[in-house]
């Protein structure tokens, strides 16, 4: 999760009062869906046709989207309010989660055999992220919970 960490820090360096700051404050209840590094690699390949190798190349390509875009994409991965633990998420088929990005929701599709949680975003051209079931409930027991996902949620078509 190095690239998402770099993205959050870049946004906060440019905009210290960004809503993304909530990800650094464990006292605010929320659930975050955090794209792994491979998710950002796939995004860059989908957007540019080039598959960067190093994390630095991936982050630089993401940063070229501009801080306002990166900030919006990160906000879209945050669901304010109570934490959603994996057990509850597995029972949330059909739910619409209100993200921290105004006016944007994330759909939830749950399959039981085999168990999977797919997050439905606004972009129909790119694959919808799946929760990585071996990487759920990160920070469990805190006011915030996070789940690793295998693709970047996109708030636009």
């Amino acid at each position: 999760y190095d690239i998402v960490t770099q993205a959050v820090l870049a946004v906060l360096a440019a905009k210290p009062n960004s809503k993304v700051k909530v990800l650094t404050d464990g006292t605010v209840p929320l659930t975050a869906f955090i794209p792994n590094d491979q998710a950002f690699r796939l995004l860059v390949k989908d957007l540019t046709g080039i598959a960067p190798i190093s994390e630095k190349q991936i982050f630089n390509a993401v940063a070229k989207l501009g801080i306002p875009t990166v900030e919006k994409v990160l906000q879209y991965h945050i669901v304010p309010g109570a934490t959603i633990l994996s057990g509850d998420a597995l029972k949330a088929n059909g739910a619409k989660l209100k993200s921290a990005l105004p006016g944007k929701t994330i759909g939830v599709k749950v399959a039981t055999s085999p168990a999977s949680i797919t997050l439905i975003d606004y972009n129909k051209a790119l694959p919808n992220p799946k929760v990585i079931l071996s990487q759920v409930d990160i920070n469990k027991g805190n006011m915030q919970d996070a789940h690793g996902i295998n693709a970047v949620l996109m708030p636009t078509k």
Side-chain angles (χ1 to χ4, degrees):
Y1 299 96
D2 296 329
I3 296 168
V4 73
T5 300
Q6 290 178 9
V8 169
L9 295 175
V11 168
L12 293 179
K15 298 175 77 178
N17 293 320
S18 168
K19 290 181 181 180
V20 170
K21 186 175 185 176
V22 73
L23 292 171
T24 66
D25 179 359
T27 65
V28 178
L30 63 83
T31 298
F33 296 102
I34 307 297
N36 63 13
D37 292 347
Q38 180 65 18
F40 282 102
R41 178 177 283 118
L42 294 171
L43 175 66
V44 170
K45 185 176 183 218
D46 286 337
L47 294 176
T48 68
I50 299 169
I53 297 171
S54 72
E55 287 180 3
K56 182 176 181 175
Q57 291 171 324
I58 297 166
F59 175 72
N60 287 341
V62 170
K64 284 182 182 177
L65 298 172
I67 291 296
T69 299
V70 173
E71 179 183 35
K72 286 178 185 175
V73 169
L74 291 173
Q75 283 180 309
Y76 188 46
H77 288 77
I78 301 167
V79 178
T83 57
I84 304 167
L85 297 177
S86 59
D88 294 328
L90 285 167
K91 300 173 191 169
N93 190 44
K96 293 279 188 196
L97 306 175
K98 185 177 177 184
S99 80
L101 186 59
K104 298 294 181 178
T105 60
I106 303 165
V108 179
K109 181 178 178 185
V110 177
T112 55
S113 184
S116 69
I117 303 169
T118 302
L119 303 175
I120 312 299
D121 63 14
Y122 290 86
N123 190 301
K124 304 303 178 210
L126 300 176
N128 285 312
K130 289 189 182 286
V131 173
I132 304 167
L133 295 180
S134 64
Q135 298 175 13
V136 296
D137 299 332
I138 302 166
N139 293 332
K140 183 178 179 180
N142 293 328
M143 298 291 291
Q144 299 180 350
D145 194 27
H147 307 294
I149 56 177
N150 68 355
V152 177
L153 285 162
M154 298 302 289
T156 60
K157 294 182 182 188

